[in-house]
Amino acid sequence: VQATTTFAITGALADFTDVAGQALVDIYDHVSDSPAFRGFIDSHEPVLLPGLNQIGISASDHTSLLDNVIPLEPRPAGESDAARIGYLWGLYSGSFLNASLAYVQQIKASMPAQQFASVSLRQALDMIAAQASTSAVWYLDRAGRLHYFASESNDAPYDVTSDTPGGGEIASMNLNIDWDSKSYKSAVYVRGKTDAGSGWVISSAAGLNHH
C-alpha cells in the first residue's frame, strides 16, 4: 500500500536553495539509524511566517515505483516463481529500490507460462503469487527490499515493550489500555507478524479472572 508523508524544514530561506532540486527523500529513525521512509517529493512550497521560514514538503513512498508498467514480457513454463520475480525485478524495479532478493523465497519450482503485458510491476507480483500458491504473499519493506514468501522466517527487528526499552526492544507508540470493571489491566491481545507471534498477553499479577 502506497504511503505518503508531509514535513517542514525550518531555517533561513537562503539555506533552502539545494532542497528545491531534490527529488528523493530518505528519513531515518534517529535511535536505530534504520530507514523509516523512502520516497519521492510530490510538492514543496515555501511557507513564510513572521520570524520563521519553512518549506512544506509532501512525498510519496517508494512503493510508487511498483506502478511502473511492464510493456510486454512473456515468460516460459518451467521456471520457478523466485526466478520469474528476479527477472522482472531486475528489469523494472529501478535503481532506487533494493536489488537484493535475499527475502524472495521459492514457493513453486515449476511455473506455467505467463505473459505480462501492460501491467504494473505490482500487478505482475500479484499474478505470480496467485499462480504459485494460495498462501503466497509479498510486500516491500522500508529499505526497498522485496519480501515474497508463504511463511516468512525473518523476525521483526525489535521486541515491543510497555516498559523502558532495553537492548533489542522498542517502546510502543500511543499505547492505550482501558481499565476493566475491576480496575485491572490484565490482558492485551497482540497482533503479530504470524499466528505464532499473536495472542493474549496476560498479567499473572492481576489474576486470570479479570481480562
Side-chain angles (χ1 to χ4, degrees), residues 67-71 115-124 127:
D67 296 317
N68 290 341
V69 174
I70 299 171
Q115 180 165 285
F116 305 97
S118 300
V119 297
S120 67
L121 181 57
R122 185 194 305 271
Q123 291 170 319
M127 292 166 65

Side-chain angles (χ1 to χ4, degrees), residues 22-68:
Q22 298 297 315
L24 308 181
V25 176
D26 274 303
I27 301 175
Y28 286 82
D29 184 302
H30 74 284
V31 176
S32 64
D33 197 34
S34 61
F37 182 93
R38 302 179 79 235
F40 304 91
I41 293 177
D42 296 322
S43 65
H44 50 80
E45 181 179 3
V47 179
L48 302 180
L49 300 173
L52 183 67
N53 293 325
Q54 291 185 339
I55 284 187
I57 295 177
S58 298
S60 297
D61 78 352
H62 54 196
T63 60
S64 59
L65 292 176
L66 298 178
D67 296 317
N68 290 341

Side-chain angles (χ1 to χ4, degrees), residues 24-209:
L24 308 181
V25 176
D26 274 303
I27 301 175
Y28 286 82
D29 184 302
H30 74 284
V31 176
S32 64
D33 197 34
S34 61
F37 182 93
R38 302 179 79 235
F40 304 91
I41 293 177
D42 296 322
S43 65
H44 50 80
E45 181 179 3
V47 179
L48 302 180
L49 300 173
L52 183 67
N53 293 325
Q54 291 185 339
I55 284 187
I57 295 177
S58 298
S60 297
D61 78 352
H62 54 196
T63 60
S64 59
L65 292 176
L66 298 178
D67 296 317
N68 290 341
V69 174
I70 299 171
L72 179 62
E73 289 291 347
R75 298 305 301 161
E79 68 181 350
S80 71
D81 54 348
R84 186 165 294 178
I85 288 172
Y87 175 81
L88 296 176
W89 191 257
L91 288 177
Y92 297 101
S93 65
S95 59
F96 190 60
L97 295 179
N98 199 310
S100 171
L101 298 174
Y103 297 108
V104 174
Q105 300 177 11
Q106 177 179 298
I107 300 173
K108 189 168 184 176
S110 182
M111 294 279 286
Q114 285 183 293
Q115 180 165 285
F116 305 97
S118 300
V119 297
S120 67
L121 181 57
R122 185 194 305 271
Q123 291 170 319
L125 291 169
D126 286 339
M127 292 166 65
I128 293 170
Q131 283 287 348
S133 170
T134 56
S135 60
V137 293
W138 64 271
Y139 70 89
L140 193 68
D141 69 17
R142 293 178 301 176
R145 296 171 301 202
L146 178 64
H147 295 240
Y148 172 85
F149 54 92
S151 178
E152 191 167 32
S153 58
N154 60 302
D155 296 328
Y158 298 103
D159 292 328
V160 180
T161 178
S162 59
D163 299 321
T164 302
E169 296 180 334
I170 191 170
S172 55
M173 298 176 64
N174 301 320
L175 177 64
N176 292 308
I177 304 173
D178 293 331
W179 296 93
D180 66 11
S181 60
K182 299 296 184 181
S183 297
Y184 288 137
K185 295 181 178 181
S186 53
V188 176
Y189 187 84
V190 177
R191 186 177 301 278
K193 177 182 64 179
T194 63
D195 289 343
S198 304
W200 287 98
V201 178
I202 300 172
S203 170
S204 58
L208 299 181
N209 295 323

